[in-house]
Coordinates of all heavy atoms in Angstrom, one line a residue:
R86 N 17.7 -11.7 8.5 CA 18.2 -11.9 9.8 C 17.1 -11.9 10.8 O 17.2 -12.6 11.8 CB 19.3 -10.9 10.2 CG 20.6 -11.1 9.5 CD 21.8 -10.2 10.1 NE 21.5 -8.8 9.8 CZ 22.0 -8.2 8.7 NH1 22.6 -8.9 7.8 NH2 21.8 -6.9 8.6
I87 N 16.1 -11.1 10.6 CA 14.9 -11.0 11.5 C 14.1 -12.3 11.4 O 13.7 -12.8 12.4 CB 14.1 -9.7 11.3 CG1 15.0 -8.5 11.5 CG2 12.9 -9.7 12.2 CD1 14.4 -7.2 11.0
E88 N 13.8 -12.6 10.2 CA 12.8 -13.8 9.9 C 13.4 -14.6 8.7 O 13.1 -14.3 7.5 CB 11.4 -13.2 9.6 CG 10.3 -14.3 9.5 CD 10.4 -15.2 10.6 OE1 10.1 -14.8 11.8 OE2 10.6 -16.5 10.4
P89 N 14.2 -15.6 8.9 CA 14.8 -16.3 7.8 C 14.1 -17.1 6.9 O 14.5 -17.5 5.8 CB 15.9 -17.1 8.6 CG 15.6 -17.1 10.0 CD 14.6 -15.9 10.2
L90 N 12.8 -17.4 7.3 CA 11.9 -18.3 6.4 C 11.0 -17.6 5.4 O 10.4 -18.2 4.6 CB 11.2 -19.2 7.3 CG 12.0 -20.2 8.0 CD1 11.1 -21.1 9.0 CD2 12.8 -21.1 7.2
R91 N 11.0 -16.2 5.5 CA 10.2 -15.5 4.5 C 10.8 -15.4 3.2 O 12.0 -15.1 3.0 CB 10.0 -14.1 5.1 CG 9.2 -14.0 6.3 CD 9.2 -12.6 6.9 NE 8.5 -11.7 6.0 CZ 9.3 -10.6 5.3 NH1 10.5 -10.5 5.7 NH2 8.6 -9.8 4.6
E92 N 10.0 -15.7 2.1 CA 10.6 -15.8 0.8 C 10.9 -14.5 0.1 O 11.9 -14.3 -0.6 CB 9.6 -16.6 -0.1 CG 10.1 -16.8 -1.5 CD 9.2 -17.7 -2.3 OE1 9.2 -18.9 -2.2 OE2 8.4 -17.1 -3.1
E93 N 10.2 -13.4 0.4 CA 10.3 -12.2 -0.2 C 11.7 -11.6 -0.1 O 12.3 -11.2 -1.2 CB 9.3 -11.2 0.2 CG 9.4 -9.8 -0.5 CD 8.2 -8.8 -0.1 OE1 7.3 -9.3 0.5 OE2 8.4 -7.7 -0.4
P94 N 12.3 -11.5 1.1 CA 13.7 -11.0 1.0 C 14.7 -11.9 0.4 O 15.7 -11.4 -0.1 CB 14.0 -10.8 2.5 CG 13.0 -11.7 3.3 CD 11.8 -11.8 2.3
H95 N 14.5 -13.1 0.4 CA 15.4 -14.1 -0.4 C 15.3 -13.9 -1.9 O 16.4 -13.8 -2.5 CB 15.0 -15.5 -0.1 CG 15.4 -15.9 1.3 ND1 16.7 -16.2 1.7 CD2 14.7 -16.0 2.5 CE1 16.8 -16.5 3.0 NE2 15.5 -16.4 3.5
R96 N 14.1 -13.5 -2.4 CA 14.0 -13.2 -3.9 C 14.8 -11.9 -4.0 O 15.4 -11.7 -5.1 CB 12.5 -13.0 -4.2 CG 11.8 -14.3 -4.3 CD 10.4 -14.1 -5.0 NE 9.7 -13.0 -4.5 CZ 8.6 -13.1 -3.7 NH1 8.2 -14.2 -3.2 NH2 8.0 -12.0 -3.3
A97 N 14.7 -11.0 -3.2 CA 15.4 -9.7 -3.3 C 16.9 -9.9 -3.3 O 17.6 -9.2 -4.1 CB 15.0 -8.8 -2.2
V98 N 17.4 -10.8 -2.5 CA 18.8 -11.1 -2.5 C 19.2 -11.7 -3.8 O 20.3 -11.2 -4.4 CB 19.2 -12.0 -1.3 CG1 20.6 -12.6 -1.5 CG2 19.1 -11.4 0.1
V99 N 18.6 -12.6 -4.3 CA 18.9 -13.2 -5.6 C 18.8 -12.2 -6.7 O 19.7 -12.1 -7.5 CB 18.0 -14.5 -5.8 CG1 18.2 -14.9 -7.3 CG2 18.2 -15.6 -4.8
S100 N 17.8 -11.4 -6.7 CA 17.6 -10.4 -7.7 C 18.8 -9.3 -7.6 O 19.3 -8.9 -8.7 CB 16.3 -9.6 -7.6 OG 15.2 -10.4 -7.8
A101 N 19.2 -9.0 -6.4 CA 20.3 -8.0 -6.3 C 21.6 -8.6 -6.8 O 22.4 -7.9 -7.5 CB 20.5 -7.6 -4.8
H102 N 21.9 -9.9 -6.5 CA 23.0 -10.5 -7.1 C 23.0 -10.5 -8.6 O 24.0 -10.2 -9.3 CB 23.2 -11.9 -6.6 CG 23.7 -12.0 -5.1 ND1 24.8 -11.3 -4.7 CD2 23.2 -12.7 -4.1 CE1 24.9 -11.6 -3.4 NE2 24.0 -12.5 -3.0
L103 N 21.8 -10.8 -9.1 CA 21.6 -10.9 -10.6 C 21.9 -9.5 -11.2 O 22.5 -9.4 -12.3 CB 20.3 -11.4 -11.0 CG 20.1 -13.0 -10.7 CD1 18.7 -13.4 -11.0 CD2 21.1 -13.8 -11.6
A104 N 21.3 -8.4 -10.5 CA 21.5 -7.0 -11.0 C 22.9 -6.7 -11.0 O 23.4 -5.8 -11.8 CB 20.7 -6.1 -10.1
E105 N 23.7 -7.2 -10.1 CA 25.2 -7.0 -10.1 C 26.0 -7.9 -11.1 O 27.2 -7.8 -11.2 CB 25.7 -7.1 -8.7 CG 25.3 -6.1 -7.7 CD 25.8 -6.4 -6.3 OE1 25.9 -7.6 -5.9 OE2 26.1 -5.4 -5.7
G106 N 25.3 -8.8 -11.8 CA 25.9 -9.7 -12.7 C 26.6 -10.9 -12.0 O 27.4 -11.5 -12.6
N107 N 26.2 -11.2 -10.7 CA 26.8 -12.2 -10.0 C 25.9 -13.4 -9.9 O 25.2 -13.7 -8.9 CB 27.1 -11.7 -8.6 CG 28.0 -12.5 -7.9 OD1 28.2 -13.7 -8.2 ND2 28.6 -11.9 -6.8
M108 N 25.8 -14.2 -11.0 CA 25.1 -15.4 -11.2 C 25.4 -16.5 -10.1 O 24.6 -17.2 -9.6 CB 25.3 -16.0 -12.6 CG 24.4 -17.2 -12.8 SD 22.7 -16.9 -12.8 CE 22.5 -16.3 -14.5
I109 N 26.7 -16.6 -9.8 CA 27.2 -17.6 -8.8 C 26.6 -17.3 -7.5 O 26.0 -18.3 -6.8 CB 28.7 -17.7 -8.8 CG1 29.2 -18.2 -10.1 CG2 29.2 -18.6 -7.6 CD1 30.7 -18.1 -10.2
E110 N 26.7 -16.1 -6.9 CA 26.1 -15.8 -5.6 C 24.6 -15.9 -5.7 O 24.0 -16.3 -4.7 CB 26.5 -14.4 -5.2 CG 28.0 -14.3 -4.7 CD 28.3 -15.2 -3.6 OE1 27.5 -15.3 -2.6 OE2 29.4 -15.9 -3.7

Side-chain angles (χ1 to χ4, degrees):
R86 283 191 296 273
I87 297 168
E88 185 55 60
L90 295 175
R91 293 175 58 249
E92 184 174 279
E93 185 173 345
H95 288 281
R96 286 193 313 258
V98 167
V99 171
S100 294
H102 285 311
L103 291 172
E105 293 178 322
N107 195 339
M108 180 70 80
I109 293 170
E110 287 301 317

